[in-house]
PDB file of all heavy atoms in Angstrom:
ATOM      1  N   ARG A  13       0.846  -1.200   0.000  1.00 97.00           N
ATOM      2  CA  ARG A  13       0.000   0.000   0.000  1.00 97.00           C
ATOM      3  C   ARG A  13       0.877   1.244   0.000  1.00 97.00           C
ATOM      4  O   ARG A  13       1.893   1.302   0.688  1.00 97.00           O
ATOM      5  CB  ARG A  13      -0.904   0.039   1.232  1.00 97.00           C
ATOM      6  CG  ARG A  13      -1.806  -1.171   1.412  1.00 97.00           C
ATOM      7  CD  ARG A  13      -2.739  -0.989   2.619  1.00 97.00           C
ATOM      8  NE  ARG A  13      -3.438  -2.225   2.938  1.00 97.00           N
ATOM      9  CZ  ARG A  13      -2.978  -3.147   3.782  1.00 97.00           C
ATOM     10  NH1 ARG A  13      -1.807  -2.946   4.398  1.00 97.00           N
ATOM     11  NH2 ARG A  13      -3.665  -4.241   4.026  1.00 97.00           N
ATOM     12  N   PHE A  14       0.479   2.233  -0.774  1.00 95.00           N
ATOM     13  CA  PHE A  14       1.098   3.553  -0.755  1.00 95.00           C
ATOM     14  C   PHE A  14       0.020   4.532  -0.311  1.00 95.00           C
ATOM     15  O   PHE A  14      -0.792   4.981  -1.114  1.00 95.00           O
ATOM     16  CB  PHE A  14       1.644   3.932  -2.130  1.00 95.00           C
ATOM     17  CG  PHE A  14       2.705   3.001  -2.651  1.00 95.00           C
ATOM     18  CD1 PHE A  14       2.482   2.207  -3.763  1.00 95.00           C
ATOM     19  CD2 PHE A  14       3.939   2.917  -2.025  1.00 95.00           C
ATOM     20  CE1 PHE A  14       3.460   1.356  -4.248  1.00 95.00           C
ATOM     21  CE2 PHE A  14       4.924   2.068  -2.490  1.00 95.00           C
ATOM     22  CZ  PHE A  14       4.688   1.283  -3.607  1.00 95.00           C
ATOM     23  N   GLY A  15      -0.003   4.823   0.994  1.00 91.00           N
ATOM     24  CA  GLY A  15      -1.087   5.638   1.523  1.00 91.00           C
ATOM     25  C   GLY A  15      -2.394   4.881   1.376  1.00 91.00           C
ATOM     26  O   GLY A  15      -2.528   3.745   1.829  1.00 91.00           O
ATOM     27  N   GLY A  16      -3.359   5.484   0.705  1.00 91.00           N
ATOM     28  CA  GLY A  16      -4.649   4.826   0.516  1.00 91.00           C
ATOM     29  C   GLY A  16      -4.717   3.995  -0.746  1.00 91.00           C
ATOM     30  O   GLY A  16      -5.761   3.406  -1.058  1.00 91.00           O
ATOM     31  N   ILE A  17      -3.618   3.933  -1.509  1.00 94.00           N
ATOM     32  CA  ILE A  17      -3.599   3.184  -2.770  1.00 94.00           C
ATOM     33  C   ILE A  17      -3.046   1.784  -2.530  1.00 94.00           C
ATOM     34  O   ILE A  17      -1.971   1.617  -1.950  1.00 94.00           O
ATOM     35  CB  ILE A  17      -2.742   3.906  -3.825  1.00 94.00           C
ATOM     36  CG1 ILE A  17      -3.332   5.289  -4.129  1.00 94.00           C
ATOM     37  CG2 ILE A  17      -2.637   3.075  -5.100  1.00 94.00           C
ATOM     38  CD1 ILE A  17      -2.463   6.135  -5.026  1.00 94.00           C
ATOM     39  N   VAL A  18      -3.777   0.775  -2.991  1.00 96.00           N
ATOM     40  CA  VAL A  18      -3.315  -0.611  -2.889  1.00 96.00           C
ATOM     41  C   VAL A  18      -2.653  -0.971  -4.213  1.00 96.00           C
ATOM     42  O   VAL A  18      -3.327  -1.186  -5.225  1.00 96.00           O
ATOM     43  CB  VAL A  18      -4.475  -1.578  -2.587  1.00 96.00           C
ATOM     44  CG1 VAL A  18      -3.956  -3.006  -2.480  1.00 96.00           C
ATOM     45  CG2 VAL A  18      -5.181  -1.175  -1.295  1.00 96.00           C
ATOM     46  N   ALA A  19      -1.322  -1.026  -4.217  1.00 97.00           N
ATOM     47  CA  ALA A  19      -0.572  -1.318  -5.446  1.00 97.00           C
ATOM     48  C   ALA A  19      -0.547  -2.812  -5.750  1.00 97.00           C
ATOM     49  O   ALA A  19      -0.591  -3.220  -6.912  1.00 97.00           O
ATOM     50  CB  ALA A  19       0.847  -0.782  -5.322  1.00 97.00           C
ATOM     51  N   LEU A  20      -0.468  -3.636  -4.694  1.00 98.00           N
ATOM     52  CA  LEU A  20      -0.546  -5.089  -4.829  1.00 98.00           C
ATOM     53  C   LEU A  20      -1.516  -5.610  -3.786  1.00 98.00           C
ATOM     54  O   LEU A  20      -1.443  -5.218  -2.616  1.00 98.00           O
ATOM     55  CB  LEU A  20       0.828  -5.741  -4.637  1.00 98.00           C
ATOM     56  CG  LEU A  20       1.905  -5.443  -5.688  1.00 98.00           C
ATOM     57  CD1 LEU A  20       3.236  -6.055  -5.266  1.00 98.00           C
ATOM     58  CD2 LEU A  20       1.489  -5.947  -7.060  1.00 98.00           C
ATOM     59  N   ASP A  21      -2.407  -6.497  -4.206  1.00 97.00           N
ATOM     60  CA  ASP A  21      -3.481  -6.963  -3.329  1.00 97.00           C
ATOM     61  C   ASP A  21      -3.456  -8.483  -3.236  1.00 97.00           C
ATOM     62  O   ASP A  21      -3.999  -9.190  -4.082  1.00 97.00           O
ATOM     63  CB  ASP A  21      -4.826  -6.480  -3.892  1.00 97.00           C
ATOM     64  CG  ASP A  21      -5.990  -6.753  -2.940  1.00 97.00           C
ATOM     65  OD1 ASP A  21      -5.757  -7.317  -1.852  1.00 97.00           O
ATOM     66  OD2 ASP A  21      -7.125  -6.403  -3.302  1.00 97.00           O
ATOM     67  N   ARG A  22      -2.731  -9.001  -2.230  1.00 98.00           N
ATOM     68  CA  ARG A  22      -2.650 -10.437  -1.951  1.00 98.00           C
ATOM     69  C   ARG A  22      -2.228 -11.234  -3.196  1.00 98.00           C
ATOM     70  O   ARG A  22      -2.867 -12.215  -3.580  1.00 98.00           O
ATOM     71  CB  ARG A  22      -3.976 -10.961  -1.397  1.00 98.00           C
ATOM     72  CG  ARG A  22      -4.373 -10.328  -0.075  1.00 98.00           C
ATOM     73  CD  ARG A  22      -5.679 -10.891   0.461  1.00 98.00           C
ATOM     74  NE  ARG A  22      -5.550 -12.313   0.778  1.00 98.00           N
ATOM     75  CZ  ARG A  22      -5.042 -12.800   1.903  1.00 98.00           C
ATOM     76  NH1 ARG A  22      -4.599 -11.984   2.848  1.00 98.00           N
ATOM     77  NH2 ARG A  22      -4.974 -14.115   2.115  1.00 98.00           N
ATOM     78  N   VAL A  23      -1.143 -10.815  -3.800  1.00 98.00           N
ATOM     79  CA  VAL A  23      -0.626 -11.469  -5.009  1.00 98.00           C
ATOM     80  C   VAL A  23       0.144 -12.735  -4.626  1.00 98.00           C
ATOM     81  O   VAL A  23       1.017 -12.699  -3.754  1.00 98.00           O
ATOM     82  CB  VAL A  23       0.283 -10.517  -5.809  1.00 98.00           C
ATOM     83  CG1 VAL A  23       1.002 -11.263  -6.925  1.00 98.00           C
ATOM     84  CG2 VAL A  23      -0.538  -9.365  -6.374  1.00 98.00           C
ATOM     85  N   SER A  24      -0.184 -13.831  -5.298  1.00 98.00           N
ATOM     86  CA  SER A  24       0.499 -15.104  -5.054  1.00 98.00           C
ATOM     87  C   SER A  24       0.791 -15.795  -6.381  1.00 98.00           C
ATOM     88  O   SER A  24      -0.061 -15.826  -7.274  1.00 98.00           O
ATOM     89  CB  SER A  24      -0.364 -16.037  -4.198  1.00 98.00           C
ATOM     90  OG  SER A  24      -0.604 -15.507  -2.918  1.00 98.00           O
ATOM     91  N   PHE A  25       1.985 -16.327  -6.525  1.00 98.00           N
ATOM     92  CA  PHE A  25       2.346 -17.183  -7.658  1.00 98.00           C
ATOM     93  C   PHE A  25       3.694 -17.817  -7.354  1.00 98.00           C
ATOM     94  O   PHE A  25       4.417 -17.405  -6.447  1.00 98.00           O
ATOM     95  CB  PHE A  25       2.388 -16.415  -8.988  1.00 98.00           C
ATOM     96  CG  PHE A  25       3.475 -15.369  -9.082  1.00 98.00           C
ATOM     97  CD1 PHE A  25       4.737 -15.678  -9.587  1.00 98.00           C
ATOM     98  CD2 PHE A  25       3.233 -14.067  -8.670  1.00 98.00           C
ATOM     99  CE1 PHE A  25       5.724 -14.718  -9.674  1.00 98.00           C
ATOM    100  CE2 PHE A  25       4.221 -13.095  -8.759  1.00 98.00           C
ATOM    101  CZ  PHE A  25       5.467 -13.426  -9.262  1.00 98.00           C
ATOM    102  N   GLN A  26       4.030 -18.836  -8.134  1.00 97.00           N
ATOM    103  CA  GLN A  26       5.299 -19.539  -7.962  1.00 97.00           C
ATOM    104  C   GLN A  26       6.061 -19.590  -9.280  1.00 97.00           C
ATOM    105  O   GLN A  26       5.462 -19.579 -10.354  1.00 97.00           O
ATOM    106  CB  GLN A  26       5.061 -20.968  -7.455  1.00 97.00           C
ATOM    107  CG  GLN A  26       4.462 -21.034  -6.058  1.00 97.00           C
ATOM    108  CD  GLN A  26       4.267 -22.471  -5.595  1.00 97.00           C
ATOM    109  OE1 GLN A  26       4.156 -23.396  -6.390  1.00 97.00           O
ATOM    110  NE2 GLN A  26       4.239 -22.658  -4.280  1.00 97.00           N
ATOM    111  N   VAL A  27       7.378 -19.637  -9.176  1.00 97.00           N
ATOM    112  CA  VAL A  27       8.250 -19.778 -10.338  1.00 97.00           C
ATOM    113  C   VAL A  27       9.101 -21.022 -10.121  1.00 97.00           C
ATOM    114  O   VAL A  27       9.811 -21.121  -9.119  1.00 97.00           O
ATOM    115  CB  VAL A  27       9.151 -18.536 -10.525  1.00 97.00           C
ATOM    116  CG1 VAL A  27      10.111 -18.749 -11.686  1.00 97.00           C
ATOM    117  CG2 VAL A  27       8.300 -17.288 -10.744  1.00 97.00           C
ATOM    118  N   GLU A  28       9.006 -21.951 -11.066  1.00 97.00           N
ATOM    119  CA  GLU A  28       9.741 -23.204 -10.945  1.00 97.00           C
ATOM    120  C   GLU A  28      11.194 -23.027 -11.381  1.00 97.00           C
ATOM    121  O   GLU A  28      11.499 -22.204 -12.256  1.00 97.00           O
ATOM    122  CB  GLU A  28       9.083 -24.287 -11.804  1.00 97.00           C
ATOM    123  CG  GLU A  28       7.616 -24.514 -11.506  1.00 97.00           C
ATOM    124  CD  GLU A  28       7.363 -24.850 -10.046  1.00 97.00           C
ATOM    125  OE1 GLU A  28       8.169 -25.611  -9.471  1.00 97.00           O
ATOM    126  OE2 GLU A  28       6.373 -24.346  -9.479  1.00 97.00           O
ATOM    127  N   PRO A  29      12.121 -23.793 -10.817  1.00 97.00           N
ATOM    128  CA  PRO A  29      13.534 -23.697 -11.214  1.00 97.00           C
ATOM    129  C   PRO A  29      13.714 -23.983 -12.698  1.00 97.00           C
ATOM    130  O   PRO A  29      13.134 -24.925 -13.233  1.00 97.00           O
ATOM    131  CB  PRO A  29      14.216 -24.779 -10.358  1.00 97.00           C
ATOM    132  CG  PRO A  29      13.288 -25.036  -9.230  1.00 97.00           C
ATOM    133  CD  PRO A  29      11.909 -24.800  -9.763  1.00 97.00           C
ATOM    134  N   GLY A  30      14.490 -23.137 -13.371  1.00 97.00           N
ATOM    135  CA  GLY A  30      14.772 -23.340 -14.780  1.00 97.00           C
ATOM    136  C   GLY A  30      13.690 -22.872 -15.725  1.00 97.00           C
ATOM    137  O   GLY A  30      13.815 -23.023 -16.941  1.00 97.00           O
ATOM    138  N   GLY A  31      12.637 -22.260 -15.183  1.00 97.00           N
ATOM    139  CA  GLY A  31      11.537 -21.799 -16.017  1.00 97.00           C
ATOM    140  C   GLY A  31      11.747 -20.394 -16.557  1.00 97.00           C
ATOM    141  O   GLY A  31      12.603 -19.651 -16.087  1.00 97.00           O
ATOM    142  N   ILE A  32      10.948 -20.039 -17.561  1.00 98.00           N
ATOM    143  CA  ILE A  32      10.869 -18.668 -18.059  1.00 98.00           C
ATOM    144  C   ILE A  32       9.431 -18.224 -17.866  1.00 98.00           C
ATOM    145  O   ILE A  32       8.507 -18.786 -18.472  1.00 98.00           O
ATOM    146  CB  ILE A  32      11.263 -18.567 -19.544  1.00 98.00           C
ATOM    147  CG1 ILE A  32      12.698 -19.046 -19.763  1.00 98.00           C
ATOM    148  CG2 ILE A  32      11.116 -17.123 -20.032  1.00 98.00           C
ATOM    149  CD1 ILE A  32      13.130 -19.065 -21.226  1.00 98.00           C
ATOM    150  N   VAL A  33       9.242 -17.236 -17.001  1.00 98.00           N
ATOM    151  CA  VAL A  33       7.896 -16.786 -16.631  1.00 98.00           C
ATOM    152  C   VAL A  33       7.727 -15.326 -17.020  1.00 98.00           C
ATOM    153  O   VAL A  33       8.583 -14.491 -16.726  1.00 98.00           O
ATOM    154  CB  VAL A  33       7.647 -16.966 -15.115  1.00 98.00           C
ATOM    155  CG1 VAL A  33       6.271 -16.423 -14.720  1.00 98.00           C
ATOM    156  CG2 VAL A  33       7.774 -18.438 -14.729  1.00 98.00           C
ATOM    157  N   GLY A  34       6.620 -15.026 -17.693  1.00 97.00           N
ATOM    158  CA  GLY A  34       6.297 -13.656 -18.057  1.00 97.00           C
ATOM    159  C   GLY A  34       5.308 -13.057 -17.079  1.00 97.00           C
ATOM    160  O   GLY A  34       4.324 -13.710 -16.704  1.00 97.00           O
ATOM    161  N   LEU A  35       5.577 -11.834 -16.644  1.00 97.00           N
ATOM    162  CA  LEU A  35       4.679 -11.105 -15.745  1.00 97.00           C
ATOM    163  C   LEU A  35       4.117  -9.926 -16.532  1.00 97.00           C
ATOM    164  O   LEU A  35       4.864  -9.021 -16.920  1.00 97.00           O
ATOM    165  CB  LEU A  35       5.453 -10.621 -14.512  1.00 97.00           C
ATOM    166  CG  LEU A  35       4.680  -9.830 -13.452  1.00 97.00           C
ATOM    167  CD1 LEU A  35       3.602 -10.700 -12.809  1.00 97.00           C
ATOM    168  CD2 LEU A  35       5.632  -9.298 -12.381  1.00 97.00           C
ATOM    169  N   ILE A  36       2.824  -9.959 -16.817  1.00 95.00           N
ATOM    170  CA  ILE A  36       2.225  -8.943 -17.669  1.00 95.00           C
ATOM    171  C   ILE A  36       1.032  -8.289 -16.988  1.00 95.00           C
ATOM    172  O   ILE A  36       0.574  -8.727 -15.935  1.00 95.00           O
ATOM    173  CB  ILE A  36       1.794  -9.527 -19.036  1.00 95.00           C
ATOM    174  CG1 ILE A  36       0.650 -10.539 -18.848  1.00 95.00           C
ATOM    175  CG2 ILE A  36       2.975 -10.166 -19.747  1.00 95.00           C
ATOM    176  CD1 ILE A  36       0.058 -11.014 -20.165  1.00 95.00           C
ATOM    177  N   GLY A  37       0.509  -7.244 -17.635  1.00 94.00           N
ATOM    178  CA  GLY A  37      -0.658  -6.533 -17.129  1.00 94.00           C
ATOM    179  C   GLY A  37      -0.687  -5.134 -17.693  1.00 94.00           C
ATOM    180  O   GLY A  37       0.349  -4.606 -18.113  1.00 94.00           O
ATOM    181  N   PRO A  38      -1.856  -4.501 -17.717  1.00 92.00           N
ATOM    182  CA  PRO A  38      -1.953  -3.122 -18.209  1.00 92.00           C
ATOM    183  C   PRO A  38      -1.111  -2.169 -17.366  1.00 92.00           C
ATOM    184  O   PRO A  38      -0.638  -2.521 -16.272  1.00 92.00           O
ATOM    185  CB  PRO A  38      -3.455  -2.807 -18.065  1.00 92.00           C
ATOM    186  CG  PRO A  38      -4.125  -4.137 -17.938  1.00 92.00           C
ATOM    187  CD  PRO A  38      -3.142  -5.043 -17.279  1.00 92.00           C
ATOM    188  N   ASN A  39      -0.920  -0.958 -17.855  1.00 89.00           N
ATOM    189  CA  ASN A  39      -0.193   0.058 -17.084  1.00 89.00           C
ATOM    190  C   ASN A  39      -0.859   0.253 -15.731  1.00 89.00           C
ATOM    191  O   ASN A  39      -2.091   0.309 -15.624  1.00 89.00           O
ATOM    192  CB  ASN A  39      -0.181   1.394 -17.837  1.00 89.00           C
ATOM    193  CG  ASN A  39       0.732   1.357 -19.043  1.00 89.00           C
ATOM    194  OD1 ASN A  39       1.717   0.612 -19.065  1.00 89.00           O
ATOM    195  ND2 ASN A  39       0.429   2.152 -20.057  1.00 89.00           N
ATOM    196  N   GLY A  40      -0.031   0.345 -14.681  1.00 90.00           N
ATOM    197  CA  GLY A  40      -0.563   0.541 -13.334  1.00 90.00           C
ATOM    198  C   GLY A  40      -1.050  -0.730 -12.669  1.00 90.00           C
ATOM    199  O   GLY A  40      -1.658  -0.685 -11.597  1.00 90.00           O
ATOM    200  N   ALA A  41      -0.754  -1.888 -13.277  1.00 94.00           N
ATOM    201  CA  ALA A  41      -1.243  -3.154 -12.728  1.00 94.00           C
ATOM    202  C   ALA A  41      -0.481  -3.589 -11.486  1.00 94.00           C
ATOM    203  O   ALA A  41      -0.969  -4.409 -10.706  1.00 94.00           O
ATOM    204  CB  ALA A  41      -1.166  -4.256 -13.788  1.00 94.00           C
ATOM    205  N   GLY A  42       0.755  -3.070 -11.307  1.00 95.00           N
ATOM    206  CA  GLY A  42       1.540  -3.438 -10.132  1.00 95.00           C
ATOM    207  C   GLY A  42       2.794  -4.234 -10.445  1.00 95.00           C
ATOM    208  O   GLY A  42       3.482  -4.702  -9.536  1.00 95.00           O
ATOM    209  N   LYS A  43       3.122  -4.363 -11.730  1.00 95.00           N
ATOM    210  CA  LYS A  43       4.264  -5.200 -12.132  1.00 95.00           C
ATOM    211  C   LYS A  43       5.589  -4.664 -11.586  1.00 95.00           C
ATOM    212  O   LYS A  43       6.384  -5.413 -11.018  1.00 95.00           O
ATOM    213  CB  LYS A  43       4.332  -5.280 -13.668  1.00 95.00           C
ATOM    214  CG  LYS A  43       3.057  -5.770 -14.327  1.00 95.00           C
ATOM    215  CD  LYS A  43       3.207  -5.881 -15.826  1.00 95.00           C
ATOM    216  CE  LYS A  43       3.476  -4.543 -16.500  1.00 95.00           C
ATOM    217  NZ  LYS A  43       2.370  -3.575 -16.353  1.00 95.00           N
TER     218      LYS A  43
END
């Protein structure tokens, strides 16, 4: 949270060893 703005809201994911993972989303998504 930045003041009253929630930039990330209970984000969960895993990255496996040796993998290639893309993190995407519209502008302002929290990437």
Side-chain angles (χ1 to χ4, degrees):
R13 303 184 190 90
F14 299 113
I17 298 173
V18 180
L20 294 174
D21 188 0
R22 298 181 64 82
V23 170
S24 297
F25 66 91
Q26 295 181 336
V27 176
E28 305 304 320
I32 300 176
V33 177
L35 180 64
I36 66 172
N39 288 332
K43 305 182 297 297

